[in-house]
């Protein structure tokens, strides 16, 4: 019940295309859903986060869509760029404690 | 402002040995969390410290332990190392524990157990 399932495992997108990464959770106590971006040799960095009281949050080219009834949330990267090539992790926590991460999605954006 | 620093960056140990990893949080941050990252298991939460007290713990054996000092610096110890402990160990700091605070991650310590 503590798991966060993330798909796909890897993703190849053309430059300018839309990258979509999906996550699903079981624990309805989760109330904070951040997304992290990790480049090789670096630690993850917070990209964008959402609380379940909103269905969508947008920051620049990055959008989180949240479906509370389906217990699913997704990250959309619009106009994907080669510099977006990285590993993306969804995560969930209750009150920000004991964050549970998805398995990660390796994104490659072709120039 | 300096980021989270972790030392050492790379470490090679043999089975049965013990290891201590260090994390210095961002100045003013009082919460430190540790994670283990492996290709097969992804990022797994180890434990979280706030004001020198362990506030949360993940599902790891007792061989994994940690502590936090009065200056918020934290150490993580793994005793009786096993091959499966080979991983990237990440430390993250935040202003306070939980409360939806953004966690800032360090670059990690790459531990290889031979």
């Amino acid at each position: 019940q503590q798991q966060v399932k993330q798909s796909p495992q890897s993703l190849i997108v053309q430059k300018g295309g839309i990258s979509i990464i999906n996550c699903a959770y079981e624990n309805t106590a989760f109330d904070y859903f951040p997304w992290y971006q990790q480049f090789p040799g670096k630690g993850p960095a917070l990209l964008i986060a959402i609380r379940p009281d909103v269905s969508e949050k947008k920051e620049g080219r990055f959008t989180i869509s949240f479906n509370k009834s389906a217990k699913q949330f997704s990250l959309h990267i619009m106009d994907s760029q080669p510099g977006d090539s990285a590993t993306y992790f969804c995560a969930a926590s209750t009150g920000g404690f004991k964050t549970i991460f998805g398995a990660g999605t390796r994104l490659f954006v072709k120039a | 402002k300096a980021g989270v620093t972790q030392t050492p960056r790379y470490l090679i140990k043999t089975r049965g040995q013990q290891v201590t990893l260090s994390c210095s949080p961002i100045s003013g941050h009082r919460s430190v969390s540790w994670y283990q990252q492996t290709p097969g298991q992804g990022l797994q939460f180890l434990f979280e410290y706030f004001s020198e007290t362990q506030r949360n713990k993940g599902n790891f054996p007792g061989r994994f332990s940690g502590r936090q000092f009065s200056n918020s610096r934290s150490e993580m110890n793994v005793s009786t190392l096993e091959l499966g402990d080979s991983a990237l160990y990440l430390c993250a700091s935040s202003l306070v524990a939980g409360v939806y605070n953004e966690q800032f991650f360090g670059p990690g310590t790459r531990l290889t157990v031979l």
Side-chain angles (χ1 to χ4, degrees), chain A residues 57-76:
Chain A
K57 183 174 181 180
K58 185 175 180 180
E59 288 185 5
R61 296 184 295 109
F62 301 91
T63 300
I64 299 179
S65 296
F66 187 86
N67 186 330
K68 189 174 180 178
S69 60
K71 290 185 281 186
Q72 294 175 348
F73 57 111
S74 60
L75 176 70
H76 291 62

Side-chain angles (χ1 to χ4, degrees), chain B residues 41-86:
Chain B
Q41 299 294 320
L43 272 154
Q44 292 191 286
F45 172 78
L46 279 155
F47 26 65
E48 176 183 18
Y49 287 87
F50 178 72
S51 292
E52 302 177 65
T53 302
Q54 187 179 89
R55 298 285 293 265
N56 283 288
K57 191 177 191 307
N59 298 324
F60 279 80
R63 299 186 297 107
F64 291 81
S65 64
R67 59 178 177 168
Q68 186 180 33
F69 302 95
S70 58
N71 62 358
S72 294
R73 190 176 71 83
S74 177
E75 285 183 349
M76 189 193 111
N77 184 275
V78 188
S79 62
T80 321
L81 283 166
E82 300 177 359
L83 295 178
D85 297 333
S86 293

Side-chain angles (χ1 to χ4, degrees), chain A residues 94-109:
Chain A
T94 305
F97 293 99
K98 206 171 173 179
T99 303
I100 307 297
F101 285 82
T105 295
R106 188 169 290 184
L107 171 66
F108 179 68
V109 181

